[in-house]
């Protein structure tokens, strides 16, 4: 399989197009950036094209050849990444070879600036606050922009939801003095399995900024003691997605979700503009009724905020009684928050949540034949 950079235009509204040639078929990946008045320089390498095409190539057992220059260290990292995914998910991915027209030593940008992938959720907002407020010590960097993508969790052709998500992300970033950049892309069509490959899609976006910034950031999904394997982002995957031209870090692994919310809750902009819900409620933010919303509201209540404008409904015994816990990760996150904060919550809410936790454990035992 060949990957060719068809077009790369720099500037405030830059666009990159990559052709993927496989057998007799040709498909295009594309990205369009709006960098809020700041010119985005064209990348020095085709690193972004290689990582963008990698999951599709592995899924089709197609050796990958890049018509362009690859950073030598990044190429070695991608080879390691292939090994990782073949061990984790041999049902999805197969071992392939990767090469390029030219392999060169990467050159650091020399910039101390960072761009943060920004969804407007808890993890991304915590990563933003942690850097801008110095919580990470010597690891803290000035964040030059938060980068929101249409085509990842916000569907490519849902302009209504995109407009709302962009508005609230912009307000959250502005509270920390950071501008919003946006990217629209069709990359998800090539992702094979989103939950496994989204880290490669994020890296593909960040590496297109390699000539303009010095560090690419995104938020860790879980704390180090509760990482999910296999998963598209964790402390094994993230370092392999960086290069000398653009180091990449996943931030926030030293804190669990409940701790992140507790840290963020005192920011008014967070209580007004945080977006965690997948249900697309009318307010464009959070329904207040699903498991994820209820879990977030538990942590906000414990931090002293019983009602937050970002949620359509406050936390009540009725909403707590109607949630459904769908997997072990949801169970563990809710159980962790409840174990810390039960004494601060209404007793009726605690009883309802404990019932659902116990019900999940019982159903799991039944499904495993342990009863």
């Amino acid at each position: 399989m060949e990957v060719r950079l068809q077009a790369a235009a720099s500037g405030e509204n830059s666009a990159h197009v990559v052709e993927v040639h496989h057998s007799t078929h040709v498909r295009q990946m594309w990205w369009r950036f709006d960098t809020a008045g700041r010119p985005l320089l064209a990348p020095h390498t085709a690193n972004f094209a290689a990582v963008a095409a990698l999951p599709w190539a592995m899924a089709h057992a197609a050796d990958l050849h890049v018509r362009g220059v690859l950073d030598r260290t990044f190429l070695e990292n991608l080879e390691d990444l292939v090994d990782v995914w073949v061990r984790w998910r041999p049902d999805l991915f197969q071992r392939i070879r990767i090469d390029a027209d030219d392999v060169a030593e990467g050159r650091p940008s020399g910039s101390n600036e960072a761009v943060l992938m920004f969804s407007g959720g808890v993890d991304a907002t915590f990563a933003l606050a942690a850097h801008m407020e110095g919580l990470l010590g010597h690891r803290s960097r000035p964040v030059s922009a938060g980068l929101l993508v249409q085509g990842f969790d916000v569907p490519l052709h849902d302009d209504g939801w995109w407009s709302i998500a962009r508005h609230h992300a912009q307000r959250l970033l502005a509270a920390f003095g950071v501008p919003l950049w946006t990217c629209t892309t069709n990359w998800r069509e090539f992702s094979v399995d989103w939950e496994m490959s989204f880290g490669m899609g994020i890296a593909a976006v960040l590496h297109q900024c390699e000539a303009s910034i010095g560090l690419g950031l995104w938020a860790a999904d879980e704390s180090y003691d509760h990482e999910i394997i296999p998963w598209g982002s964790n402390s094994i995957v993230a370092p392999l997605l960086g290069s000398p031209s653009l180091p990449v870090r996943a931030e926030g692994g030293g804190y669990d979700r409940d701790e992140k919310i507790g840290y963020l809750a005192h920011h008014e902009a967070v209580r007004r503009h945080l977006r965690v819900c997948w249900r697309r409620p009318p307010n464009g933010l959070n329904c207040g009724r699903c498991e994820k919303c209820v879990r977030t509201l538990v942590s906000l209540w414990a931090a002293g905020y019983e009602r937050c404008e970002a949620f359509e409904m406050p936390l009540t015994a009725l909403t707590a009684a109607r949630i459904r816990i769908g997997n072990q990760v949801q169970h563990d996150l809710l159980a962790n928050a409840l174990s810390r904060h039960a004494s601060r919550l209404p007793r009726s809410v605690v009883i309802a949540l404990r019932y659902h936790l116990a019900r999940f454990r019982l159903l799991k035992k039944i499904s495993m034949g342990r009863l």
Side-chain angles (χ1 to χ4, degrees):
M1 187 176 87
E2 282 192 353
V3 174
R4 303 175 185 173
L5 183 58
Q6 185 190 51
S10 60
E12 175 186 347
N13 295 292
S14 61
H16 297 154
V17 179
V18 168
E19 285 187 346
V20 179
H21 295 251
H22 181 236
S23 186
T24 60
H25 302 287
V26 180
R27 298 178 64 190
Q28 286 189 340
M29 302 178 184
W30 53 263
W31 299 261
R32 302 188 189 106
F33 289 83
D34 181 345
T35 50
R38 173 174 171 173
L40 186 65
L41 303 177
H44 301 308
T45 70
N47 289 351
F48 79 91
V51 72
L54 187 59
W56 200 85
M58 287 191 292
H60 289 80
D63 290 342
L64 179 60
H65 182 85
V66 178
R67 290 294 184 189
V69 179
L70 288 187
D71 178 318
R72 182 181 303 279
T73 301
F74 189 61
L75 175 55
E76 293 172 357
N77 284 349
L78 292 187
E79 290 175 337
D80 253 342
L81 199 61
V82 170
D83 287 346
V84 167
W85 283 110
V86 168
R87 300 301 300 182
W88 282 350
R89 293 297 306 269
D91 57 320
L92 282 178
F93 301 119
Q94 299 182 54
R95 196 176 307 281
I96 63 170
R97 292 179 57 84
I98 309 168
D99 63 9
D101 287 348
D102 190 13
V103 178
E105 300 301 328
R107 48 175 178 167
S109 72
S111 170
N112 193 42
E113 294 181 291
V115 165
L116 168 68
M117 298 296 292
F118 192 76
S119 64
V122 169
D123 298 323
T125 305
F126 177 80
L128 172 69
H131 275 279
M132 299 304 289
E133 297 176 350
L135 182 64
L136 301 176
H138 292 290
R139 295 166 293 169
S140 300
R141 295 289 187 274
V143 176
S144 297
L147 183 50
L148 178 68
V149 177
Q150 183 180 17
F152 284 3
D153 66 317
V154 179
L156 184 58
H157 301 296
D158 192 336
D159 291 334
W161 192 16
W162 170 243
S163 178
I164 294 171
R166 187 176 56 202
H167 166 77
H168 290 288
Q170 192 167 36
R171 292 296 184 89
L172 264 177
L173 288 162
F176 293 89
V178 175
L180 173 68
W181 291 2
T182 62
C183 174
T184 303
T185 178
N186 71 336
W187 180 84
R188 190 160 180 169
E189 298 172 10
F190 296 81
S191 68
V192 182
D193 182 311
W194 173 252
E195 291 185 345
M196 300 299 113
S197 59
F198 69 85
M200 289 178 268
I202 290 172
V205 173
L206 288 172
H207 278 284
Q208 293 175 67
C209 305
E210 69 178 12
S212 301
I213 61 166
L215 180 65
L217 302 171
W218 79 75
D221 294 317
E222 304 293 342
S223 58
Y224 290 128
D225 54 333
H226 286 93
E227 287 196 316
I228 302 171
I229 293 176
W231 189 247
S233 171
N234 51 54
S235 57
I236 295 174
V237 166
L240 297 177
L241 294 170
S243 73
S245 304
L246 187 76
V248 169
R249 293 209 314 244
E251 301 288 32
Y255 301 82
D256 64 32
R257 190 175 181 86
D258 179 65
E259 290 168 333
K260 292 175 182 178
I261 296 170
Y263 181 83
L264 293 170
H266 306 293
H267 290 276
E268 181 182 359
V270 171
R271 303 193 302 274
R272 293 171 63 92
H273 301 290
L274 186 71
R275 181 172 65 90
V276 304
C277 187
W278 294 92
R279 286 190 174 182
R280 305 190 201 179
N283 71 350
L285 288 172
N286 310 291
C287 68
R289 296 181 293 274
C290 68
E291 177 275 335
K292 192 173 184 183
C293 281
V294 167
R295 176 168 27 97
T296 305
L297 286 167
V298 165
S299 299
L300 287 168
W301 187 305
Y305 299 95
E306 299 176 12
R307 184 66 191 257
C308 296
E309 292 183 39
F311 293 82
E312 283 189 348
M313 298 181 63
L315 179 62
T316 65
L318 181 60
T319 55
R322 289 178 173 176
I323 67 166
R324 290 293 179 268
I325 300 173
N327 56 57
Q328 190 66 48
V329 173
Q330 292 176 354
H331 170 277
D332 293 348
L333 288 170
L334 180 58
N336 177 53
L338 198 59
S339 68
R340 291 175 177 171
H341 306 310
S343 62
R344 302 180 186 179
L345 299 171
R347 180 170 173 76
S348 57
V349 169
V350 174
I351 291 172
L353 294 178
R354 283 178 172 164
Y355 164 78
H356 284 293
L357 291 169
R359 181 177 183 272
F360 175 84
R361 293 192 294 270
L362 177 63
L363 292 174
K364 185 176 180 180
K365 287 181 179 180
I366 292 172
S367 70
M368 297 176 69
R370 293 183 179 177
L371 286 181

